[in-house]
Every structure is written in C-alpha cells, then in structure tokens.
Amino acid sequence: MTTTIQISIYDWSIMEELVFEAQISSIEEFLALTYRFDKKVKYKKATDKNWYHAKTMIKRLFKKDVAKNRPVIKFVTTNDLNKIGEEKRKAEEEKRKAEEEARLKKEKEELEWEQWRKANPKFTIEQIKSMSEVELTNRLVDLYIEDYYIGKTDYNSYNGPFNTYLTEIAYIELQISSGLADRAHYHAMEALCGGKLTYKTNRHPMSEIFRLTDDFELVSLNRA
C-alpha cells in the first residue's frame, strides 16, 4: 500500500518552513527518504494535524511490520558510566590544555618576532648594495629568521626596501656564495632552536623558484 506523506524542513537561512511530499510503500523506502535530508525534519500524512519525528512516523505507518520484525536482543556487557564520563572529561581537558599551549606558543612567537623586528633597523637598497659579504651574510640570517616568523604568524610586516622579504632574500643570495647562504640559513635555524640545532637544515635557493629581474621583481620560473 502506497502512502503519501509530507516532509517539513525549517530553513533558518531564509526563515521559512519548506514542505515537500513523497510516496512510500515500505519501511525501507521511508528510511531511504530520511537519509536524503541532512537537517532535522518532521513528517505527517496529509490528513494528520501534527508533525512527527521519523521514529514515531514509522510506528504510525508500519505498526504491524514493526511488531512482526522483532530481532532477538542478547545481553553483552555493562560499561561504567562514571568511567566513561571521566574519560570524556579527561579528553576534553587534554584538548583544552593543547589549545591553551598552542595559544601561548603563538603569543610567545609573535612577541619574539616583534622584539626581533625592533632590534633590526630598516635599510635602503643603496645601503644593502654597499654591504660587505660578511654584512650581507648577517643580513641574510635576519631575513631567514623573519621568514620563519612570518610563516608562523601569517603576519607580514616586512619593512625593508624591496617589495617583499623574499625579493631581498633572492637578491642577497645572488650576491654571496652558495656556501655562505647555506651557513646563514644554518645560523638562522640554530638561533630559532635556542642555539641547539637538532636536525639537518635544507635550504631551498630562491634562484630555483624565482628569477630576479633588473628592477628587483620576482618572476616565478613556473610561469608560462
């Protein structure tokens, strides 16, 4: 026997109740219908005055089928609700602590970054061009550190003379040897680790990613 039912959905984004209609003839079809909606819905027959949740509607529509199909239920075990509650509270507390540690770590990194920025004055392009190889290497150490903090905080406050801090890194890397650039990168990572570097650094030269134009613009090597 086919039954026509109505489906009620509250769409709060437009502040309206949406009413649909469908025909079903079995519990299977009704269950399949309920899985089509990702929101809480209610159901009723066209002649019903009230709306019902799915479980109640199944009993009203298929009372005989529900009564016939009674699977055997076998007792398995019991679980301590106090233990379950304690485990849940412990998991929530660990999550809260992890979030708090992450927040404090980010605040510490932002503070360290701000202190580092105040300790490193702005240079002009002419000053950078006139720097010795040692001065350029030291400057590159600072830029690698700045690259780290910008990546961690998503806050780019580079105030150097080039368009971006990556442009300045690319420029300086071209002015010194690869060995000195590697050494600058190592010292930067060492400083970020508190002077104790526990891993092998792996520098990726800007020249492998970008081409630096005569007017100090970075052009991606992958650009068609």
Side-chain angles (χ1 to χ4, degrees), residues 89-100:
R89 285 189 292 272
K90 184 178 179 181
E92 290 175 347
E93 179 63 18
E94 289 176 350
K95 181 181 178 182
R96 186 194 66 77
K97 286 183 179 180
E99 291 174 346
E100 179 66 11

Side-chain angles (χ1 to χ4, degrees), residues 11-160:
D11 191 333
W12 297 104
S13 65
I14 58 176
M15 298 303 291
E16 288 187 357
E17 177 188 23
L18 307 178
V19 179
F20 299 91
E21 191 173 85
Q23 291 186 335
I24 57 172
S25 58
S26 65
I27 293 178
E28 290 79 5
E29 287 184 358
F30 183 83
L31 291 175
L33 180 65
T34 62
Y35 276 92
R36 291 184 59 182
F37 301 100
D38 59 354
K39 302 177 181 178
K40 291 183 178 179
V41 299
K42 290 186 177 182
Y43 309 86
K44 74 171 185 177
K45 292 190 292 186
T47 55
D48 289 337
K49 181 179 180 181
N50 300 318
W51 292 96
Y52 303 93
H53 291 292
K55 184 176 180 180
T56 303
M57 199 62 187
I58 286 179
K59 291 180 179 179
R60 298 185 73 252
L61 293 174
F62 309 103
K63 188 174 182 179
K64 292 181 179 180
D65 293 334
V66 172
K68 289 179 182 178
N69 296 288
R70 290 182 177 274
V72 177
I73 299 176
K74 181 181 178 181
F75 175 77
V76 177
T77 187
T78 62
N79 292 306
D80 188 344
L81 293 181
N82 289 319
K83 183 178 179 181
I84 292 174
E86 182 60 30
E87 290 175 349
K88 182 179 179 181
R89 285 189 292 272
K90 184 178 179 181
E92 290 175 347
E93 179 63 18
E94 289 176 350
K95 181 181 178 182
R96 186 194 66 77
K97 286 183 179 180
E99 291 174 346
E100 179 66 11
E101 289 175 359
R103 183 185 66 81
L104 292 174
K105 182 180 179 182
K106 184 176 181 180
E107 288 181 356
K108 180 175 180 292
E109 289 174 343
E110 289 177 350
L111 178 61
E112 290 175 345
W113 183 85
E114 198 61 39
Q115 291 172 340
W116 179 87
R117 287 298 307 154
K118 291 179 180 179
N120 290 270
K122 179 177 179 180
F123 294 96
T124 65
I125 290 181
E126 293 305 317
Q127 286 176 317
I128 293 174
K129 284 183 176 181
S130 65
M131 285 182 177
S132 67
E133 198 172 55
V134 173
E135 289 174 323
L136 286 172
T137 303
N138 291 335
R139 174 66 178 168
L140 192 56
V141 172
D142 293 338
L143 288 169
Y144 285 143
I145 293 175
E146 184 167 11
D147 179 28
Y148 169 83
Y149 282 124
I150 289 175
K152 292 292 289 184
T153 63
D154 291 326
Y155 176 59
N156 185 1
S157 66
Y158 169 74
N159 63 350

